[in-house]
Amino acid sequence: MRNKHKDKECQQAATIVGGLSMKYILELGKSSSNFLIGKFSSTVLFVCLVLVACHEKGHVERPIPSQETIGQWAEQAYKLNISDIKRQLALLVRADRDTLVADSRTRRYYRDGGNLLWIDRFGLDKRADSLLAYLNTVEEMGFSKRVFVVEQIERDLQRIRTLDVDSGIRDVNRVMARLEYNLTKAFLRYTAGQHFGFTNPTRIFNNLDIREQDSVRTTYRGLFDIPVKRPTKDFYTTALRKVYNDSVDIFLRQAQPQNALYALLIKHFKGKDLSEADRIRLLCNVERSRWRQTDYPQNHRKYVLVNVPSYHLDAIEGDSVLTMRMACGTLDTKTPLLNSHIMRMDVNPQWIIPRSIIKKEVVGHAGNPDYFERHRYFILNRSSGRRVDPANVSAGMLLNPDYFVIQEGGEGNSLGRVVFRFNNNFSIFIHDTSSKWAFDRGSRSVSHGCIRVQKPFELAVFLLNKKDGTLIDKIKYSMQADLSKPKEGEEKRTRVDYRRLVNSVKVNPNVPLFITYYTLYPDVKGKMHTYADVYGYDKVLYRYLRSFSI
């Protein structure tokens, strides 16, 4: 009897609500498209609530509201008003002081009268849930949910879906406006950050080390020359269009980092109880893996990787790895980060000494022939192509770009017996060295920016596409032959076989080179290795990422 009585109550309630719904549907035909959002959504939501209540397990005594009461509820508490929502959006825009580009794009969109993106004639749909599914994973990469207003979005969604609205802070139009604004802001923050990175490495690292400074201007050393893409106005326009066209889930998937290292890092840290140091390392290295480059090591079967913090160079071809110690730039003359291709190797190269080194180390020895002879330096007049007697060279001449200071090739040359050349904007190379002692040190930041390698001959063989035995023999002989001029009274030495000498060898095809900086990086087997933050770049990045962290 009780169940029959309950069914009768439900039918009665449904009849009342259904009649009210029909009334609103008829009114919709007379209303504008803006008004369509309000009454239809309110009524549909209320119908769902009544029907759910009537199908609960167990019997609960509830008074049946009158048609007049239901009408009042629909007209007041649950009525969506497009003008009121936009008025609330304007208040949110004026109150927002956040400074990310995504935040300014959000403000501009609503300030310029943009259409509602997440609210339509059906209220709020699965698009909000798709975004929340991604936002709820941000802690896995060391970020805090509060950066994406996740808790507020979830509370407001719950209020709308359970009709937990009344007035004040829970006024339905105020809640809907807050949802609209926060969903858009979180969506743009997340997609722009995941797609391009939450920091701009070009701006950060190329404004870090001062080269020269006076009262007029300051110039900085270039430290980062890896091409990375940055979000444009078109990116934000496209992102907003994706929401409007119900392509949120597709766009979120496309926004994920393309670098294979990103997934490996997330997997490495997932579920672990992190120390403060590990958390910072996670944030910084995951961020590096987001920067959308034009090329990645994983795109190639054969490539050379120099990870500065590891103090190692890895020459990789498939599953084969040639690894060797390397020395890089000091804290004052850091090795720049870049992508390039090794094009050729020069055996027994001459070294044209950079102006920066001449200023620091050479200019004080102007007019001292012994110094130049001891270091095997000579001065060349750029215009005439003739050598100049060191005894007749002044400090002004050494600083004049019309004169070069050059070190003879061969044994004792600072570049060693072979140099590997690649295009770059810093005049740096990978090369052998006459200072082999550097490879016995734990910290190997000793150069002026170039990369010195422990196994130059092995690297030369690796770079050859065809392992021609005759050519390999010539390279080896050339790197060992004594090409210096005999000194007076010196014993007779082995005669040089000039037929076996080679000066320059093309690397064809060119081999991709990546000079990068990761304090956490996997070997070819996928095992993660941790390295010291030798240049302090993690600390620099963390200053920018700290506001995102847990």
Side-chain angles (χ1 to χ4, degrees), residues 132-148:
L132 271 176
Y134 281 89
L135 296 183
N136 275 312
T137 67
V138 297
E139 289 182 342
E140 295 177 2
M141 53 199 190
F143 282 175
S144 171
K145 291 183 181 180
R146 64 174 170 75
V147 177
F148 303 94

Side-chain angles (χ1 to χ4, degrees), residues 62 73 166 187 219 243 330 341 379 444 498 500 503 517:
R62 292 188 180 89
W73 287 348
D166 43 39
F187 179 71
T219 60
V243 180
T330 67
H341 288 78
I379 298 98
R444 295 191 284 278
Y498 289 96
R500 294 177 66 189
N503 294 322
Y517 193 101

Side-chain angles (χ1 to χ4, degrees), residues 10 12 51 69 186 224 256 339 353 376 426 476 498 546:
C10 289
Q12 185 180 2
L51 294 179
T69 302
F224 189 94
Q256 299 310 305
N339 293 349
I353 303 174
R376 300 177 60 238
F426 309 99
K476 187 173 185 177
Y498 289 96
R546 185 168 44 199

Side-chain angles (χ1 to χ4, degrees), residues 312-315 321-327 418 420 430-433 436 439 451-463 479:
H312 277 78
L313 178 148
D314 291 326
V321 183
L322 168 66
T323 187
M324 65 192 73
R325 293 187 175 197
M326 67 85 178
V418 62
F420 305 94
I430 296 173
H431 61 81
D432 181 21
T433 178
K436 304 292 185 181
F439 301 119
I451 295 164
R452 306 174 185 178
V453 289
Q454 182 186 28
K455 302 175 183 177
F457 172 70
E458 290 87 340
L459 180 58
V461 174
F462 168 85
L463 292 171
M479 290 178 63

Side-chain angles (χ1 to χ4, degrees), residues 251-268:
F251 195 71
L252 285 165
R253 288 199 302 271
Q254 293 173 342
Q256 299 310 305
Q258 293 181 336
N259 190 343
L261 184 57
Y262 174 82
L264 291 175
L265 289 167
I266 295 295
K267 182 180 178 182
H268 176 74

